[in-house]
Amino acid sequence: MIGRLNGILLEKTPPLVLIDCNGVGYECEVPMSTFYNLPAIGEKVVMLTHFVVREDAQLLYGFGSDQERATFRQLLKVNGIGAKSALSILSGLSIDDLVQAVAMQDTAMLTRVPGVGKKTAERLLLELKDKFTVSGLTASHPNQPKSASSDVLNALISLGYNEREALAAVKLLPADATVADGIKQALKSLSK
């Protein structure tokens, strides 16, 4: 129902923000990643939102990017994960870290988030496994072309390596590796 807010930032007290939109103040909860990127009080702000209607409350959650909101919505689909837990996960992990944790099935990374235990982390990894693509490959190598790392990853998977092994090998590649060199180097590291 409410998909976006465009107004003046009146208050910011983690995790709540108050935005004045033409005389109506909207209070919404935001993950810390969004909170840290907010402008100063009194400045204009645009925020994408997710509106939740419960029997006892109507809640508004705000996000600085469409990717954050889409990830939040994906987390809500996981059995046992509510809005507070999803907000906590987005506050404790970057989206790239979450994608990487799911790709590598890394429960340890997820259990570092307050409120996420081992069983919840395992459920998250199981239910999100096919939902996220490995788009966070370039997080550790921002200068590496995304297509090269993706092509190397896809080549390794088509050669029979599982996604976890392939992702680990791709992370070891130098930033300037071409697809052909990347495949050769990844195969060498996987053969050890």
Side-chain angles (χ1 to χ4, degrees):
M1 184 174 164
I2 300 172
R4 186 179 86 123
L5 296 176
N6 185 358
I8 305 298
L9 186 63
L10 295 179
E11 292 179 23
K12 53 182 189 176
T13 310
L16 290 173
V17 297
L18 181 64
I19 301 171
D20 177 24
C21 298
N22 295 323
V24 178
Y26 291 93
E27 189 176 79
C28 57
E29 292 187 47
V30 298
M32 295 312 289
S33 54
T34 297
F35 187 84
Y36 293 137
N37 292 318
L38 288 173
I41 291 176
E43 291 187 24
K44 190 172 183 172
V45 66
V46 176
M47 191 162 300
L48 298 171
T49 60
H50 179 81
F51 186 58
V52 176
V53 177
R54 295 190 329 214
E55 189 175 303
D56 61 341
Q58 295 182 13
L59 304 165
L60 196 58
Y61 297 93
F63 305 95
S65 70
D66 192 41
Q67 188 180 20
E68 271 187 339
R69 182 172 65 174
T71 304
F72 178 81
R73 288 176 172 169
Q74 195 64 51
L75 288 169
L76 290 179
K77 293 177 184 176
V78 174
N79 188 22
I81 300 294
K84 293 281 185 190
S85 297
L87 208 61
S88 178
I89 291 167
L90 285 176
S91 293
L93 290 174
S94 70
I95 293 173
D96 286 341
D97 287 343
L98 179 61
V99 169
Q100 185 176 3
V102 170
M104 297 186 74
Q105 296 292 295
D106 186 0
T107 57
M109 186 180 293
L110 290 174
T111 55
R112 284 187 237 139
V113 176
V116 177
K118 186 174 183 187
K119 286 185 180 183
T120 303
E122 289 170 351
R123 188 178 326 111
L124 276 165
L125 294 176
L126 178 68
E127 292 191 33
L128 294 176
K129 185 174 184 179
D130 300 326
K131 306 292 187 229
F132 288 149
T133 58
V134 186
S135 60
L137 281 177
T138 57
S140 58
H141 301 297
N143 298 331
Q144 184 176 4
K146 185 177 182 179
S147 59
S149 60
S150 296
D151 289 346
V152 171
L153 179 71
N154 290 333
L156 293 174
I157 291 172
S158 67
L159 288 171
Y161 292 98
N162 68 37
E163 193 171 350
R164 187 178 190 167
E165 293 170 328
L167 184 61
V170 169
K171 285 179 67 177
L172 298 174
L173 297 176
D176 59 346
T178 64
V179 175
D181 290 338
I183 293 171
K184 288 177 190 174
Q185 291 175 18
L187 288 172
K188 282 182 185 176
S189 68
L190 286 168
S191 66
K192 291 180 182 177

